[in-house]
Amino acid sequence: MGYGTEMDSCGRCMKYSLFFVNFVIFIGGVVLVGLATWALLDKVPWIGELVGNDLLTGAIYVLLAGGVIVAIVSFFGCIGASREIKCMLLTYFIIVFLLFVTMLIGGVLAYVFREKLVNTLEREMSSSMRVYDTRKTVREAWDTTQSTLHCCGVNGWRDWGTQGLNVPESCCREIQPGQRFKCNGGPDTVNPSNAYLVGCINGTQIYMQKHATIMGGAGIAVACLMFFGMIFSCVLFKMIE
């Protein structure tokens, strides 16, 4: 096996098709890396602490790693297609098949999280409030969520009093970056004019579902492109003498 002989018009068409598909897959891999990085920088793992579920965070890391490998492999796939190297095409098919499964799993995990989130969100968020004072990661997650989404508690600021806790400072409105109004006077008192009064449950659900939909859709889309890449590589492999 090595370099192929001169191919007919059908074979050349298949070669160029595989080259084009790999180029598109390469772009998809780069986009996937960009989306996964955006999701991590957008504090998705922090909010994951509130919902007691790491499925989305796991899916993001799977898609991030997969996107990097996809971009590299698709680049070498372009070379294999253009030079008609059978051993490279065979290796390409095996790697792409494994990546296809990985991308599909990552995409499905994101969608599974999206559906599961609706049924468990309120219960898990209420549960995490109880350990606000004892677990640093949960405290930072709540403070990040309330500051970012401009909300307080699960359904409102009184949820903190129900748990026997003072209303966190992150529930207070910002005067300017790094400086907030004083709004919390104890478990049962808050200054409504200086605090976020809307609960976090709706904003958190929309925020997480948006990221899950984007990541899940991107992972499945790249997996579909890779499926076509596998088909074209198999056909081209058989056409090379």
Side-chain angles (χ1 to χ4, degrees):
M1 294 186 183
Y3 296 96
T5 57
E6 187 67 26
M7 302 180 72
D8 58 19
S9 59
C10 182
R12 287 195 297 273
C13 178
M14 191 58 60
K15 180 176 74 172
Y16 296 140
S17 296
L18 179 59
F19 184 91
F20 176 75
V21 168
N22 272 287
F23 180 71
V24 175
I25 292 173
F26 172 80
I27 294 175
V30 172
V31 170
L32 202 57
V33 171
L35 288 174
T37 303
W38 159 72
L40 292 174
L41 292 177
D42 210 26
K43 301 183 176 70
V44 168
W46 286 117
I47 295 184
E49 286 283 342
L50 268 62
V51 300
N53 194 316
D54 292 327
L55 267 180
L56 182 58
T57 303
I60 290 171
Y61 281 116
V62 166
L63 294 174
L64 175 62
V68 172
I69 300 172
V70 163
I72 295 172
V73 170
S74 60
F75 174 77
F76 286 106
C78 290
I79 297 176
S82 61
R83 303 192 67 183
E84 302 170 23
I85 305 173
K86 293 191 74 173
C87 63
M88 187 173 285
L89 286 172
L90 180 61
T91 303
Y92 168 82
F93 174 84
I94 294 172
I95 295 175
V96 167
F97 174 75
L98 296 174
L99 288 173
F100 167 78
V101 175
T102 302
M103 292 292 100
L104 203 57
I105 290 174
V108 170
L109 277 177
Y111 272 108
V112 168
F113 172 84
R114 184 177 183 276
E115 297 304 317
K116 188 174 181 180
L117 181 68
V118 177
N119 300 323
T120 63
L121 183 60
E122 184 170 5
R123 183 181 71 245
E124 293 295 342
M125 288 182 71
S126 297
S127 177
S128 67
M129 291 179 75
R130 301 188 188 106
V131 293
Y132 177 85
D133 283 341
T134 56
R135 285 183 55 183
K136 181 181 178 181
T137 54
V138 172
R139 182 167 62 254
E140 290 175 340
W142 265 109
D143 289 342
T144 299
T145 300
Q146 293 180 145
S147 299
T148 302
L149 301 182
H150 296 171
C151 58
C152 186
V154 180
N155 294 297
W157 65 269
R158 287 183 175 83
D159 292 335
W160 291 104
T162 302
Q163 301 293 340
L165 300 170
N166 290 331
V167 175
E169 186 179 334
S170 55
C171 281
C172 303
R173 297 180 184 274
E174 279 191 323
I175 304 173
Q176 58 186 20
Q179 185 178 1
R180 295 180 179 277
F181 287 107
K182 177 66 176 177
C183 71
N184 45 355
D188 299 315
T189 58
V190 70
N191 184 343
S193 62
N194 292 342
Y196 300 129
L197 303 181
V198 178
C200 294
I201 185 167
N202 290 332
T204 301
Q205 180 175 325
I206 293 170
Y207 182 87
M208 297 297 279
Q209 285 187 325
K210 177 186 75 173
H211 284 79
T213 300
I214 292 173
M215 298 307 302
I220 292 173
V222 172
C224 291
L225 289 172
M226 295 173 73
F227 178 74
F228 286 106
M230 288 189 291
I231 293 176
F232 287 139
S233 66
C234 284
V235 175
L236 184 59
F237 181 88
K238 289 185 175 295
M239 284 183 171
I240 298 176
E241 296 295 335

